[in-house]
Amino acid sequence: MSTVPELSSLTPRAAEIVSAARVLLEEEGRDALTVRALADRLGIRAPSLYKHFSDKAAVEAALMERGLAETGAALHAALDAARHATPPEEPIGAVLRAYRRIGLAHPNLYRLTTSGPLPRQRLAPGLEEWAGTPFFLAAGEPYLAQALWSFAHGMVILELDGRYPEGSDLDRTWAEGAHAFTARRPRGGVERPSAEAQA
Amino acid sequence: MSTVPELSSLTPRAAEIVSAARVLLEEEGRDALTVRALADRLGIRAPSLYKHFSDKAAVEAALMERGLAETGAALHAALDAARHATPPEEPIGAVLRAYRRIGLAHPNLYRLTTSGPLPRQRLAPGLEEWAGTPFFLAAGEPYLAQALWSFAHGMVILELDGRYPEGSDLDRTWAEGAHAFTARRPRGGVERPSAEAQA
DNA sequence: CCTCCATAGCTAACTTTGTTAGCCAGACTC
DNA sequence: GAGTCTGGCTAACAAAGTTAGCTATGGAGG
């Protein structure tokens, strides 16, 4: 139930712009997210956008914040749901399923958020790490957690990019990976995170 | 020792261009791979390149072919080496190590080759699949193979993009993943591929 | 009430990028 | 020797991000 770190504050108009950018990105793809196209959607001219954002990368950074926040929220929620189910569900499988679901639900936002270097100076501090902690909570230790995250990201991005051979049974591939990692999970897993475990 | 599928044939001049493009890409990054910069390196003007390639994407496709061919060759070689070592080495670990090595050796070519949709019409037929078969040969079955590949790609791309927290012990994370997948490998693995196993 | 100034729009214009059109010199063929 | 193919060239365009500088509106302070 951990709460989202506070996102970078935006003026109301800037928030509208980010929302429009998100719709544009998701509906028409990353290449279509152009300054002029975004301005068009808002009924203004391209240079006016620079009254609200220093450059295009700043808009993208705001979108990445949204992506990270939503991903983190979905993963934390999935973990909590698994924990409180009766009987408690396997947390690794729960996190993996949630991760895939959110990636496929917003493919272009996912790609934007997870491809290429992150502009960390422009992101709310702590956000990136908070979004990733569910992997740690599910895996019980940091090395397995990173391996699990890498597997999940690889699966999602390769699926989004159409890299798997046609007709692949990806449900089964996910299950295979989940099984491999679950078998290595340390006995008992991890309770609610202690402060230093998060750091 | 399976041989590389025949790559798309290039005129000598076109091959020179691709080589120059590769150096430019690797030395200065993807954004620096511009038509004019490439022409500069060759001592000609930008429009002259269009006498050799229909568009920039065609040059990139040729680079992707190289990337796939080299990756495939390295993985097949690593697998053969593991097989013929005394005693024979664990094939999953061998393929993973080779995959990481080649990704880190040519980060920009790796990113170009593995990010975004593949222009399959422009690639030599069979090449993509041939580059991936070592994962199948090491895993012994297709689902584990895809999971293994996804893990490997996720690890490499996240490392290249600087996504892991500073100071992460990635050697250990790789080992953790290798161990998880090795434990699930079917008894005995797979001999040299039979024809239908490749298809 | 009037002045001032911050806000948020505008037009014009510049740079960089991929790309096309069309010209020309040299080399090889018949 | 005439013609054609090859591989360069210049000029130019459209789309992209961005900057400079103008202007209208609307609230704050005197």
Side-chain angles (χ1 to χ4, degrees), chain A residues 132-145:
Chain A
T133 44
F135 284 104
F136 170 72
L137 296 175
E141 55 95 335
Y143 303 101
L144 190 61

Side-chain angles (χ1 to χ4, degrees), chain B residues 32-57:
Chain B
L33 180 55
T34 174
V35 174
R36 282 174 176 83
L38 177 55
D40 273 356
R41 288 224 166 200
L42 292 156
I44 62 178
R45 303 295 179 147
S48 302
L49 286 174
Y50 290 81
K51 298 288 172 162
H52 305 278
F53 290 91
S54 63
D55 53 14
K56 187 187 175 186

Side-chain angles (χ1 to χ4, degrees), chain A residues 64-184:
Chain A
M64 291 181 199
E65 278 201 337
R66 279 208 182 190
L68 285 173
E70 289 177 21
T71 301
L75 298 184
H76 279 283
L79 205 51
D80 271 1
R83 197 184 300 270
H84 296 123
T86 45
E89 204 186 335
E90 218 301 298
I92 286 183
V95 167
L96 289 179
R97 274 189 296 279
Y99 193 86
R100 184 186 188 192
R101 196 177 322 118
I102 199 144
L104 299 188
H106 316 294
N108 288 310
L109 184 60
Y110 182 86
R111 244 189 289 253
L112 179 73
T113 305
T114 60
S115 305
L118 261 194
R120 294 204 169 82
Q121 335 74 7
R122 307 180 105 143
L123 299 183
L127 178 60
E128 180 189 7
E129 193 225 331
W130 173 82
T133 44
F135 284 104
F136 170 72
L137 296 175
E141 55 95 335
Y143 303 101
L144 190 61
Q146 286 188 336
L148 193 63
W149 172 37
S150 305
F151 165 71
H153 172 61
M155 288 293 300
V156 169
I157 198 70
L158 292 172
E159 180 173 5
L160 291 183
D161 286 346
R163 291 285 179 137
Y164 296 110
E166 210 167 347
S168 293
D169 183 351
L170 295 180
D171 287 347
R172 191 161 157 190
T173 300
W174 276 95
E176 195 66 46
H179 201 122
F181 285 111
T182 305
R184 281 196 67 68

Side-chain angles (χ1 to χ4, degrees), chain B residues 20-159:
Chain B
R22 183 180 180 164
V23 174
L24 176 59
L25 171 68
E26 215 48 81
E27 285 183 356
E28 307 186 35
R30 182 154 190 181
D31 288 348
L33 180 55
T34 174
V35 174
R36 282 174 176 83
L38 177 55
D40 273 356
R41 288 224 166 200
L42 292 156
I44 62 178
R45 303 295 179 147
S48 302
L49 286 174
Y50 290 81
K51 298 288 172 162
H52 305 278
F53 290 91
S54 63
D55 53 14
K56 187 187 175 186
V59 179
E60 291 173 339
L63 286 171
M64 292 181 198
E65 277 201 338
R66 279 208 181 192
L68 285 173
E70 289 177 21
T71 301
L75 298 185
H76 278 284
L79 205 51
D80 271 3
R83 197 184 301 270
H84 296 124
T86 46
E89 205 187 334
E90 218 300 300
I92 286 182
V95 167
L96 288 179
R97 274 188 297 278
Y99 193 86
R100 185 187 187 191
R101 196 177 322 119
I102 199 142
L104 299 188
H106 316 294
N108 287 310
L109 184 60
Y110 182 85
R111 243 189 289 252
L112 180 73
T113 305
T114 60
S115 306
L118 261 194
R120 294 205 168 82
Q121 335 74 10
R122 306 181 106 143
L123 300 183
L127 177 60
E128 181 190 6
E129 192 224 334
W130 173 83
T133 44
F135 284 105
F136 169 72
L137 296 175
E141 55 95 335
Y143 303 100
L144 190 61
Q146 287 189 336
L148 194 62
W149 171 38
S150 304
F151 166 71
H153 172 62
M155 288 292 301
V156 170
I157 198 71
L158 292 172
E159 180 172 6

